[in-house]
Amino acid sequence: MLSQNVSFRNKNLSRGIKEWLDVLPFIGIGFILLAVFVIYPQIKNIYMAFTNYNIMPGQVSPWVGLLNFIKIFHDDNFLLAFRNTILYGIVTVPCQMIIGLVIAVLINNLTRGKVFYRVMIYIPVITSWVVVSLIFKYLFTDGKEGLMNFLLLKLHLIGSPIMWLENTWTANLVIWLLGVWKGIGWVMVIYYAALQGISNDIYEAAKIDGANPIQVFFNITVPLIKPTTFYILINLIIGAFGVFIQVMLITGGGPLGTTDVLLNYMYKAAFSDFNFGYASAMSVIIGIVILTLSLFQKRIMRYSEDNPY
Amino acid sequence: MKKINFPQLFLHIFLLICVAAMIVPFLYMISTALTKDTYIMPYPPILIPKTFYTGNFKEAWLSNNFFRYFLNSLYISLISTVLSLFIATLSAYGFARFSFPGKEMLFNVYLFTMMVPGVLNIVAQYTVINGLHLVDTYSGLLLLYVGTGIAGNTFFLRGFFESIPKELEESIIIDGGTRWTIYRHVILPLSKPALATFAIFAFEGTWDEFFVALTFIKTEIKRTLPIAIMLFQGEFATKWGLVFAASLIAVVPVILIFVVFQKYFIRGGIQEGAIKG
């Protein structure tokens, strides 16, 4: 009985090995690259967060325990960057979602020209962050020659040119505006796809019952696209934690670090101050926040797939 | 006379205002690039170009190794697209059609690595690349681009490969073909449309990549376009015409590809993030 069991297990084992040898030529290179450049760095990042990491080869990187983490929560500049990141999310996420949804619904109700509008509104999404950041920097130039100041002066909304990038809140406003402007097209496309999935019969029935377009929107459309709304919401929140390039290119964190965001601040800590351990600790904290959001999203998405309505 | 449909007209007017908000910034960029002497900003601002001065494009193209940066970007984007495509199709085929112990667990590891955005690993990745003595080399850049894309790309293509009917493969097995025959003569030809979409996304993703290139490339001559444009702006802070001419050279190919293949892009938007170079 026992020997039978062993030989059975051996057969299973050798079959398993054979299967692995068969598949290895296909998944081998990919797995090695993933392991070396993603999995290992992810683990190493956590380790580095507990050390005073020294980049020079052969030098020791002393273990400092929780010191980096303690330092972070006493670092006013980190807290400022954290606040700015949260504010960026609070401002840009709802704006992108509402405007994107409205545009998607309007395009969906068109009889012609759908493709034209979808393509035009999507163009900012596919344009590189570097270029659109520079465009916005130029739009919001100080002095009366900048297009934004020019328009606002012409419309008599302001009395004198605004120094957009010299003040904390106007500089943040420029960063938010760019975030919203660039993200609307993505939200529109995802919502548009979801709207396509709603059967016309439901709308017909509502019309027969005498519902007006506003009622139809709030009582039929909004509830039916709830899973999509959730998907977009979490993706945009995760995206907000990734805000970085426009801050770096438009304000560089200025004036006086008051527009710094988390990634920006982490990047400076690592590659300007060479505080690798400290930067790693920051990325661990940001990573935990984002991972929690992702897992939460997975859970809810699975739930809403099981219970579509 | 045809009756005017007022609700539709109203929709079009509203949407055209939205389109204007999306397009005016680009128009402003183009006009500036076409204006001579932008050391001093023109007042009033020029939204519709009055002249078509092409000198900025010429100057941008010829100055500061710009042509070289263009070639660098082209080279890196092409190589990384080809490598990503090759490795991702192999991996995805492995996961789609082989059974082996621990397969789903391994695949979940792939998925798990995608949950934390790549930018957060940059510090540790720097130490890895530094340890391999590949900082400031294209090999280091390519390894990172290909390596960080594998999980998402495998995920994206696996689903696609699984939808290909298995019957086609059985006939090849009966004729004495191997897994490689199936991969080359069934899977790849049948997924041409998906692979084309994949290639476009991968190419554009690498073409615009900023963060990794900024961190790992130190030598001036090895820079890629996004970095070159950023530094261009810093160097010629007041020569906006020149900066935008350079930006347009970098952006126009991307927008053209988008307009031609827009239906793939707009569908692909749903899987955005799945394909990195």
Side-chain angles (χ1 to χ4, degrees), chain B residues 115-127:
Chain B
M115 287 195 188
V116 177
V119 285
L120 289 178
N121 300 327
I122 197 110
V123 177
Q125 278 165 341
Y126 190 85
T127 69

Side-chain angles (χ1 to χ4, degrees), chain A residues 20 37 44 109 117 181 244 267, chain B residues 8 12 21 125 127 211 215:
Chain A
W20 264 97
F37 296 106
K44 187 173 181 183
N109 278 311
Y117 292 112
W181 178 81
F244 166 67
Y267 196 83
Chain B
Q8 284 287 318
H12 280 288
Q125 278 165 341
T127 69
F211 197 54
T215 312

Side-chain angles (χ1 to χ4, degrees), chain B residues 36-199:
Chain B
K36 207 182 167 182
D37 294 337
T38 45
Y39 301 96
I40 304 154
M41 282 178 73
Y43 185 88
I46 304 166
L47 252 189
I48 308 291
K50 291 188 183 71
T51 57
F52 283 87
Y53 173 72
T54 53
N56 285 324
F57 289 90
K58 215 165 131 192
E59 200 183 330
W61 187 255
L62 294 175
S63 70
N64 290 61
N65 305 315
F66 194 79
F67 178 60
R68 171 68 197 252
Y69 301 144
F70 191 89
L71 289 184
N72 291 348
S73 274
L74 196 65
Y75 170 79
I76 290 171
S77 306
L78 281 176
I79 305 267
S80 123
T81 302
V82 171
L83 286 178
S84 292
L85 199 57
F86 178 62
I87 295 172
T89 48
L90 282 181
S91 301
Y93 177 61
F95 278 107
R97 285 295 197 260
F98 285 72
S99 67
F100 52 92
K103 178 166 102 168
E104 290 314 316
M105 207 177 81
L106 188 64
F107 196 67
N108 281 330
V109 170
Y110 278 46
L111 295 184
F112 190 76
T113 63
M114 288 162 62
M115 287 195 188
V116 177
V119 285
L120 289 178
N121 300 327
I122 197 110
V123 177
Q125 278 165 341
Y126 190 85
T127 69
V128 171
I129 295 283
N130 194 40
L132 295 169
H133 302 289
L134 290 176
V135 171
D136 201 27
T137 64
Y138 289 158
S139 317
L141 213 54
L142 286 168
L143 283 170
L144 273 180
Y145 287 157
V146 176
T148 51
I150 283 168
N153 297 338
T154 303
F155 175 69
F156 167 77
L157 287 174
R158 179 190 178 172
F160 187 81
F161 289 169
E162 276 174 348
S163 68
I164 296 173
K166 269 193 171 143
E167 289 73 20
L168 294 163
E169 298 167 30
E170 278 155 16
S171 65
I172 288 193
I173 297 281
I174 291 165
D175 292 343
T178 63
R179 297 282 202 169
W180 293 97
T181 333
I182 297 172
Y183 167 75
R184 282 195 44 204
H185 297 286
V186 177
I187 300 287
L188 291 188
L190 282 179
S191 7
K192 264 186 200 151
L195 298 184
T197 316
F198 178 103

Side-chain angles (χ1 to χ4, degrees), chain A residues 16 19-20 22-23 25-27 30-31 33-34 37-42 44-45 48 53 55 103 106-107 109-112 115 117-120 122-124 126-128 130-131 134-135 137-139 141 144-147 150 181 184 186 189-190 193 231 244-245 248-249 263 266-267 270-271 276 280 283 286-287 290-291 294-295 298, chain B residues 8 11-12 14-16 18-19 21-22 25-26 28-29 32 41-45 87 90-91 93-95 98-101 106 109-110 112-113 115-117 119-130 143-144 146-148 150-151 179-180 208 210-211 214-215 226 229 233 240 243-244 247 251 254-255 258 262 266 269-270 272:
Chain A
E19 283 177 342
W20 264 97
D22 282 344
V23 79
F26 291 93
I27 63 168
F31 180 72
L33 288 174
L34 183 76
F37 296 106
V38 182
I39 300 175
Y40 174 67
Q42 282 181 343
K44 187 173 181 183
N45 200 29
M48 286 169 72
Y53 196 81
I55 186 78
I103 293 177
L106 296 186
I107 293 179
N109 278 311
L110 286 178
T111 46
R112 59 206 316 180
V115 173
Y117 292 112
R118 255 162 51 212
V119 168
M120 293 315 253
Y122 203 66
I123 283 181
I126 58 131
T127 312
S128 96
V130 174
V131 171
L134 294 184
I135 296 178
K137 194 174 175 184
Y138 187 59
L139 280 171
T141 312
K144 61 182 171 34
E145 303 92 353
L147 185 63
F150 175 81
W181 178 81
I184 285 172
W186 183 79
V189 159
I190 308 287
Y231 171 81
F244 166 67
I245 296 178
M248 192 159 177
L249 271 86
L263 282 188
M266 178 197 92
Y267 196 83
F271 297 103
F276 277 58
S280 298
S283 79
I286 309 167
I290 294 177
L291 190 65
S294 299
L295 290 171
K298 266 209 124 123
Chain B
Q8 284 287 318
L11 287 183
H12 280 288
F14 184 85
L15 285 168
L16 282 172
C18 295
V19 168
M22 295 298 163
F26 289 104
Y28 193 35
M29 167 169 76
T32 307
M41 282 178 73
Y43 185 88
I87 295 172
L90 282 181
S91 301
Y93 177 61
F95 278 107
F98 285 72
S99 67
F100 52 92
L106 188 64
V109 170
Y110 278 46
F112 190 76
T113 63
M115 287 195 188
V116 177
V119 285
L120 289 178
N121 300 327
I122 197 110
V123 177
Q125 278 165 341
Y126 190 85
T127 69
V128 171
I129 295 283
N130 194 40
L143 283 170
L144 273 180
V146 176
T148 51
I150 283 168
R179 297 282 202 169
W180 293 97
D208 283 339
F210 173 77
F211 197 54
L214 177 72
T215 312
I229 287 168
Q233 197 270 327
W240 281 102
V243 172
F244 284 147
S247 302
V251 148
V254 177
I255 295 191
F258 164 66
Q262 51 85 16
I266 288 190
I270 296 163
E272 208 196 30

